[in-house]
Amino acid sequence: MGRKRDPTQVVKSGPGKKAKKQQPPTFPGLLTEDKTETKKLSSRQKKRLKNREEKRQKFLSMKKEKEESYQKLKAMKKSKQVEESKENKSNNNNRKRKISKQESSEEEEDEDDAELEDESEEDGINEEAESSDEEEVESSDEDPQGYTDDNKLWLKPSKRKMDEDVSESEEEDENDSDDDGDDDNMDDEFDSDEDEEDEDENEDMLPIEKAAKKLNKKQEKDRKLAEAELQTNISEMEKYTLPSGQEIEKESQQPPDLQLILQRIKEVQHVLGDFKGRREPDRTRQDYLDQLIKDLCAYYSYNEFLMEKLVQLFPHEISEFLEANEVQRPVTIRTNTLKTRRRDLAQALINRGVNLDPIGKWSKVGLVVYDSQVPLGATPEYLAGHYIIQGGSSFLPVMALAPQENERILDMSSAPGGKTTHIASLMKNTGVIFANDANKDRAKAIVGNVHRMGITNTVICNYDGRKFPSVMHGFDRVLLDAPCSGTGVIAKDTEVKMNKDEKDIQRCSHLQRELLLAAIDCCDAKSSTGGYIVYSTCSILVDENESVIEYALNKRNVKLVPTGLDFGKEGYVNFERHRFHPNMKLTRRFYPHTHNLDGFFVAKLKKFSNKIPGAEEKTRVATEMADSVNVAEDVKKEVAVKGENQSGEEPVKDNKDTAPGKKDNKKKGSSKWNKKDTAKKTFKPGKFKKFKNNDGKSKQKKKPKSKN
């Protein structure tokens, strides 16, 4: 019936399925890494490895030579010691001295042996150290040959050796640069390997190589310092002499030598930098300034009046300003935020072959264009009104104005419409904008840009800005980009260099003052959100900027406020003989050579009262003068009447025959021809009426009726 189970013999059961350990996974042959295979090296890595092996072999050979020379020195010392010991046996005193010398030489030799052992351990050379039981050898006075650790403090490598090391390093760099073309497509792993190899190479450098590199750097630094000191010494010793009258006449008869003129400009500027120490004893500052202005006019083609103004503005950086005016400013465009975003516009233009970048952190809508394969004024984006070509400096007045939604804003001189469309985009097509320009032809450009950019809140008008307050007033904010001499945009219009004189500047300044007063009168001081006026010009002259603002501060109830612009230079508070309001530093100036923008001036004013200072006094004086004139006329009439009564003569009456067919319905003394009207009459231009009664109503003669 089967075999019985022996309870004493228990068979151990193996682990179950769940208890079995999972074996390590197996991967396909392609994924497994063969550790036996060596990593393939690039051509550059192979060359580096070869160079390292060659250097190591050289190092080992040098070590062997050093050891051999060391052994020779020891043998020579030993032989000398034996000879001297035989000769000096008789003299005990000398022997004692030699014993002391031997002890000192023994210590030096022990130190040498220890240093050699350290070098052999560092460089991987395992050599047996010599036994410390060597016979004592007397040290000789001769210096050891070769470069060892004993003489490293006083022995420097020769110049020839340094030059050879430098040439070897240059050859290695050239080889590396030649191999770069083969390894352009390497992965990041190879790049990291090469960096590690460079570090290893620096670590494997010999001490003499490291010392040579340090020495080269120090010598180069000393050479540069010596050259700089030599130049300063020469400049301090030499004093520039201005050309005499004969030399100037000789130059005027010959064609101008631009290199000579440029060198003279630099030398005169150098003298003016330290006038007290570098000037000629018999020359004044004005002599140097006159020569500088003449040379600048000849080199950059300016007239003397404008050059004098510019030298007064930029006494130390006149050359930088004039050089900046010879270069065109970069082309900039402004994104129309009513239709697109700057990021989308930039991507669309990049796809069309336009190389551009954001204009700066100060603007969120500007883009600067470096080059373009398509004309910027004919792209589909331009025609659709996604952007407008506008100078970067023209963004600044609108940013200072900071228009708010649902406001009434006046752009007094708005052509061609760049600032007007910028204001509309900031207002999101709300409120009302009045774009005015005195030139009717230029106003057509405003219409075109407004339609293309999708502006719907703008009214375009054509009035003289000086008379605009009589047309309309009560605006929340007013922008006045006044017409000017254009001294800030010489790069665009080079005719300014020769055409502008003192009369032109005075004419522009007078017009700007009238326009600014009219702009202030158009603004409403009681506006809940505004009451601001922004004045800007594309000129850098003080006569057109700070002087005009100072005039407005004296004539109207306004004050200067911050423009809100984070960059730009402050306006002048003191300039030459002028002393302006202390708050003039709140205005901002922009220059081509410092900000890479067109020369510009921006000022922001706040109107705090609608009353005109001195207007009430003027009206009171005018009324008093009119009353006095009327009284004098009445007195004359009374005197004339009294004189007639005293003479007893009756006044002569005009007896004119009436025309036939007319009724003689005139009564004695009631003729309107003889009647004297003493009432004061005021006549308005364009509304003159010949006949008026006391009531102010005109009467017309009735036509005679024909008798039938």
Side-chain angles (χ1 to χ4, degrees), residues 58-71:
K58 287 181 181 179
F59 179 75
L60 292 174
S61 62
M62 288 172 62
K63 284 295 179 185
K64 288 181 180 179
E65 291 177 359
K66 285 183 181 180
E67 289 295 327
E68 292 176 358
S69 61
Y70 183 71
Q71 294 295 336

Side-chain angles (χ1 to χ4, degrees), residues 629-673:
V629 170
N630 292 335
V631 169
E633 289 179 354
D634 294 340
V635 170
K636 287 181 180 179
K637 290 178 182 178
E638 290 178 358
V639 170
V641 170
K642 288 181 180 179
E644 290 176 356
N645 294 335
Q646 289 177 2
S647 62
E649 296 178 355
E650 295 182 357
V652 179
K653 296 180 181 180
D654 294 335
N655 296 324
K656 293 184 180 179
D657 297 336
T658 58
K662 292 185 179 180
K663 294 183 180 180
D664 190 6
N665 55 0
K666 297 178 184 178
K667 296 182 181 179
K668 189 175 182 181
S670 62
S671 175
K672 64 182 179 181
W673 302 102

